[in-house]
Each structure stands twice: as C-alpha cells, then as structure tokens.
C-alpha cells in the first residue's frame, strides 16, 4: 500500500468546478484533467504542488459540463464564501496527447465526454491527467475569497495555511489501490 504523510498544513488551493470538487471529496473521481488557466502564461498548466486544497469555483462551470447533475451552486450563502473540505495528494502526472485515449478515463471522472473533448482540443490539443488521492473532513472550513484568488487561474495562495488535522481518506487503502492500478493501466 502507498503510505502518504500529509503535511500539518497546506497553503495552496487548486481551483476547480464545484461539482468536480464534490466528486473528488466523495471518492467518485480520482483523476483531474487539466488544460491550464489563462493566468498561467504561455507554458500552460504545471502540476507544481504535491498537496493542495480543492478550491471549488463556478467560474466557467457549464450547465451541461458534468454527468452528475451537480453543476450549480446550492441556493443561499455568500457568493464570496468558499467552502474548503478536501485535500488532494498528487500520486502521478501524465500528459495525454491522443484524443482517442480520453474515453478510457470516463469511469475515473464526472465530466461529460463533450466537456473532456472540448478541453482536449482547446488551443493546442492535449491535457494533463493528475491521479490524486483525496482526504476530506466532514465540516468544511469557510473562507472569504480574496481579490488575488479571483479570476481564471488554477493555483491560489491560502493565507494562513489550513491545518490538515481531522482529515480522513475518502477511499480506504484497498479501494484506493484498486483505482490507482486501474488508472495506471489506462494511462500507461
């Protein structure tokens, strides 16, 4: 089994659609497919952090973008408030350069096929696949989004860093190893 020592705290947030964050926190998704954000420059997305909090956003979240029906924000609440409840650890990173390889990943994520293929084709064909193990807590930590966290960017700084105490893996060791091996078979 893979043993991961979580840091005592983490000050990095990874912005992703709220429905995807929910799927990751529920163990229904174990891969993140990413193109990159506008603010990341000409080099595009770089998987530069081994641990990060899932920072749910509704920016660019399309009504038909997910297969779960979990695309829209829950009614009420402060739109500037962000609920952080799950931490991801990057297990491996692969570049997907063949569009034909995307359909084999469907069981590992909740995006629609249309969304994944559009992401693949946007600008330069290709996507990054991050295989992640996720830990979550029952009650989220609520943050107020800062001006620096707004906009189309992937990585955001969380000040102060959030403690990881009280997190539990969303998939037990046996379930995680099965998913991880299945993903390795697909990604090579």
């Amino acid at each position: 089994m893979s043993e991961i020592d979580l840091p005592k705290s983490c000050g990095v947030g990874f912005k992703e659609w709220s429905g995807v964050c929910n799927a990751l926190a529920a163990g229904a998704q174990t891969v993140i497919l990413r193109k990159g954000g506008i603010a990341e420059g000409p080099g595009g997305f770089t998987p530069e952090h081994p641990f990060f909090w899932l920072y749910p956003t509704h920016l660019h979240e399309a009504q038909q973008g997910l297969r779960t029906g979990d695309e829209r924000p829950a009614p009420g609440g402060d739109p500037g408030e962000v609920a952080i409840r799950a931490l991801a650890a990057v297990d491996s990173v692969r570049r997907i350069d063949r569009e034909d390889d995307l359909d084999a990943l469907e069981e590992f994520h909740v995006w629609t096929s249309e969304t994944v293929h559009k992401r693949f084709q946007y600008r330069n064909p290709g996507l990054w696949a991050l295989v992640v193990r996720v830990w979550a807590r029952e009650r989220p930590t609520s943050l107020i989004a800062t001006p620096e966290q707004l906009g189309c960017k992937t990585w955001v700084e969380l000040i102060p860093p959030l403690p990881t105490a009280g997190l539990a893996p969303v998939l037990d060791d046996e379930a995680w190893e099965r998913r991880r091996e299945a993903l390795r078979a697909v990604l090579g």
Side-chain angles (χ1 to χ4, degrees):
M1 299 289 165
S2 67
E3 197 61 38
I4 296 177
D5 290 325
L6 296 181
K8 291 182 190 262
S9 66
C10 179
V12 177
F14 180 87
K15 291 177 76 174
E16 183 55 89
W17 291 354
S18 178
V20 172
C21 291
N22 291 341
L24 287 159
Q29 179 161 329
T30 47
V31 66
I32 298 173
L33 300 175
R34 198 59 173 219
K35 186 67 152 198
I38 294 167
E40 289 152 339
F45 174 73
T46 303
E48 59 198 52
H49 302 283
F51 295 96
F52 49 83
W53 292 102
L54 298 174
Y55 186 108
T57 181
H58 296 285
L59 187 64
H60 303 305
E61 190 170 48
Q63 189 167 0
Q64 300 298 317
L66 302 179
R67 291 178 283 146
T68 64
D70 192 14
E71 298 89 2
R72 296 278 135 240
D78 181 348
E81 192 173 305
V82 180
I84 307 286
R85 73 178 262 246
L87 182 82
V90 177
D91 178 73
S92 60
V93 178
R94 299 285 189 274
R95 175 83 179 155
I96 300 172
D97 291 314
R98 290 176 12 99
E99 190 170 9
D100 292 344
D101 295 339
L102 296 176
D103 292 338
L105 291 170
E106 186 173 334
E107 71 177 281
F108 303 103
H109 65 77
V110 296
W111 290 290
T112 63
S113 178
E114 178 185 6
T115 299
V116 171
H117 285 272
K118 278 183 182 178
R119 280 189 176 191
F120 182 91
Q121 288 297 334
Y122 182 68
R123 292 188 182 164
N124 298 317
L127 285 173
W128 288 100
L130 281 75
V131 177
V132 294
R133 185 163 189 195
V134 178
W135 286 258
R137 58 174 54 106
E138 195 168 316
R139 300 187 74 189
T141 300
S142 291
L143 305 176
I144 301 299
T146 66
E148 295 81 18
Q149 294 167 348
L150 300 175
C152 188
K153 57 184 84 170
T154 300
W155 305 107
V156 294
E157 187 175 10
L158 304 178
I159 300 174
L162 302 179
T164 61
L167 293 174
V170 300
L171 296 175
D172 65 29
D173 288 344
E174 189 175 310
W176 161 245
E177 285 299 329
R178 281 194 309 270
R179 296 287 287 179
R180 180 182 192 210
E181 290 307 312
L183 267 163
R184 283 183 176 167
V186 170
L187 292 170

